[in-house]
Amino acid sequence: MADYSVIKAASYVLAHTPDMVIHNGTTQTTEMVVNPDSDYLKELPEHLRSYDDCLAYIPNQAYIGNVTNDELRAVPFPYYDKKSENPVRSGKYGEIMPQSEFYGLMQICDVFDLVLLEKDFAVKVKADLNAWGLLKEEQLAVLDKNQWEKAELERLVNEEHAEGLYENFELVGCVKRAHDVDVNLSAHTMLENIVTKASSVQSILNLLSKCDIDPDSIDYVIDCCEEACGDMNQRGGGNFAKAAAEVAGLNMATGSDVRGFCAGPAHAILDAASLVKAGTFKNVLVTAGGCTAKLGMNGKDHVKKGLPILEDCIGGFSVLISENDGVNPIIRNDIVGRHTVGTGSAPQNVIGSLVTDPLDRAGLKVTDVDKFAPELQNPDITKPAGAGDVPEANFKMIAALSVKRGDIARTDIPAFVKEHGLVGWAPTQGHIPSGVPFMGPLRDMILEGSATRGMIIGKGSLFLGRMTNLFDGVSFLVEKNPGKAEEKAAGGVSAAEIKAMIAESMRDFAESLLK
Amino acid sequence: MDLENQRRVLEFSEQYGAENVVVLLGAAEGEAAGLAAETVTLGDPTWAGPLAGVSLGLAVYHICEPEVKEEIDPDVYDEQISMMEMVLDVDDICNEMNAIRDQL
């Protein structure tokens, strides 16, 4: 049996996009249609956070790797009224990019001249992105072609169906439509897709840079976001993966897209782990950009309760799955949970299929897993919106099922939740919170010896696509690397056997010298 | 309650008569359960959906309320619901549901 694949690197990025909350989040765009004079729309701008406040938001610092989960747990809830003592842009896993630079990155990611920026704005953006240091000179030169005056941008937005790009409520650019009839190439869709591509590229560039990965070493890229790109004849044709790989300079890679709503990333990681274990590819990068539609999704509740708009960031991540190096944590793609067509939708069936069934098959107890990572939404966002603490509910469900199985006592539920659970920190960007935000921290915990085994659980609500009412999910175990397994060479001779043969030859040679 | 579900609740109550419809909720929080219960009884409090200003006065319960539990085969309840019963704050949910029903 070939070696398991390993988690070689992970990156997590955010782009702070407060103006996009107003113009591109569906809660707000819907309100503009059905109730354009609403108090919510009037009050909203005052609830938008500055970039500095976004950096100082402790869950954001946790997402990019500057705050551990234990440190976040020690922060008294709620988080929105607390400030990080070290509000920095860059973290161990990634960074938080300001909106203006993100618009520049969008233009660099656009190869059809659809993104236009106001000329003076573009000059500043170019200088900032140059200082960022992750783009090539010819990529930055794309920003030089912006000779647009504000009046022309206004005309495109007002008369040509372009989507405006705003900075501090001022028009600074736009995304043009790519076709005059096809809704799949409308300015709205193109903006969504370019944002997704740009945030995926941002995460890949961060991974390459922070983890010192050779771009040419990556053979295959899997994108697992929730958007679809294509024209009216193939609405979800793809391929976000290859498009992002091109901009990120992964010249030796091809790729494809995997979809599964919020469970998409877990499916994609399993695909990557299997491709590597099978020997098809050595290094597979799983990536996803974020989603403009979900910006300010719970904004009405946040404004009503006097909170800032907490969903003001586009999220992205990349995880590199590589062949076994004998060091990094392994992905046990033989211990996999799956919600099948026949599983049913009752929560205990769901948790059973994803958590206890695979552990049973492997002869493991629930308590053998140090940490579970299901949906990891930041409760600061979901609780005021009436959706509760999603991660905590998941850990309670795992604990309650363990009680029903007799693995733990009912009185042990709170201790189990704390010991084997996590406090949520991920932005509510659909696929982004689903298990994968913990892959980086789990890798570090296993490497430093504070954990030996974790379970990543992806769950998805398929009813949203109106194709099925079924729920979905997959899970897999990540374990400490026991050291590289001995590989059998083509002739059926193991490394140990080769060593023994060499030793024997050396002995014979030494003896021959003595004769 | 999302707009599509409001539309379906409205259609069912028109098709079968409000007195013949019972709404069974599975919300994970008292507040969310209360909002959904309010929507199908007094009307949509957010004034966004088809039930805005429409007081259907439907019978509404949460799956974890004792009135519902008594009606269900204990084995089925154990298999389908008992785990969530341990997880949810059932007292809070019951209080919210009773508070809405008291207003009818």
Side-chain angles (χ1 to χ4, degrees), chain A residues 417-439:
Chain A
V417 168
K418 190 173 176 196
E419 190 180 338
H420 297 274
L422 301 156
V423 290
W425 69 97
T428 49
Q429 286 257 294
H431 54 295
I432 299 288
S434 203
V436 284
F438 189 55
M439 289 191 74

Side-chain angles (χ1 to χ4, degrees), chain A residues 106 109-110 114-115 175 190-198:
Chain A
M106 281 172 63
C109 287
D110 161 37
L114 300 173
V115 179
V175 178
M190 292 315 302
L191 182 144
E192 280 193 346
N193 287 347
I194 292 170
V195 164
T196 297
K197 180 182 172 184

Side-chain angles (χ1 to χ4, degrees), chain A residues 48-184:
Chain A
L48 293 172
R49 294 187 293 195
S50 67
Y51 178 61
D52 287 343
D53 284 347
C54 176
L55 292 187
Y57 188 53
I58 301 170
N60 287 350
Q61 289 294 328
Y63 189 71
I64 63 169
N66 288 332
V67 171
T68 67
N69 206 258
D70 284 341
E71 287 165 351
L72 183 62
R73 191 189 292 275
V75 176
F77 194 82
Y79 306 135
Y80 68 87
D81 55 355
K82 316 288 188 302
K83 297 242 185 211
S84 162
E85 289 170 8
N86 186 27
V88 291
R89 168 175 177 155
S90 183
K92 185 177 186 182
Y93 304 133
E95 60 158 348
I96 304 170
M97 182 179 264
Q99 181 172 262
S100 55
E101 286 177 42
F102 189 67
Y103 288 161
L105 184 59
M106 281 172 63
Q107 187 171 41
I108 287 163
C109 287
D110 161 37
V111 292
F112 282 84
D113 293 333
L114 300 173
V115 179
L116 314 178
L117 298 177
E118 192 271 325
K119 60 178 186 177
D120 294 336
F121 179 77
V123 170
K124 181 187 173 299
V125 166
K126 186 182 176 186
D128 291 343
L129 281 178
N130 187 36
W132 186 45
L134 298 186
L135 293 166
K136 298 189 182 83
E137 213 165 285
E138 62 265 29
Q139 290 177 308
L140 290 167
V142 168
L143 296 163
D144 293 334
K145 68 186 177 188
N146 290 293
Q147 296 305 318
W148 311 98
E149 302 284 352
K150 191 175 173 187
E152 173 61 5
L153 299 173
E154 283 172 343
R155 191 193 68 77
L156 289 167
V157 170
N158 295 330
E159 297 174 23
E160 301 283 337
H161 304 278
E163 287 280 339
L165 297 173
Y166 301 83
E167 177 79 351
N168 297 320
F169 315 115
E170 293 287 325
L171 187 69
V172 293
C174 70
V175 178
K176 294 193 295 181
R177 60 185 172 177
H179 193 278
D180 52 359
V181 177
D182 188 345
V183 292
N184 300 315

Side-chain angles (χ1 to χ4, degrees), chain A residues 140 327 349:
Chain A
L140 290 167
V327 177
N349 295 352

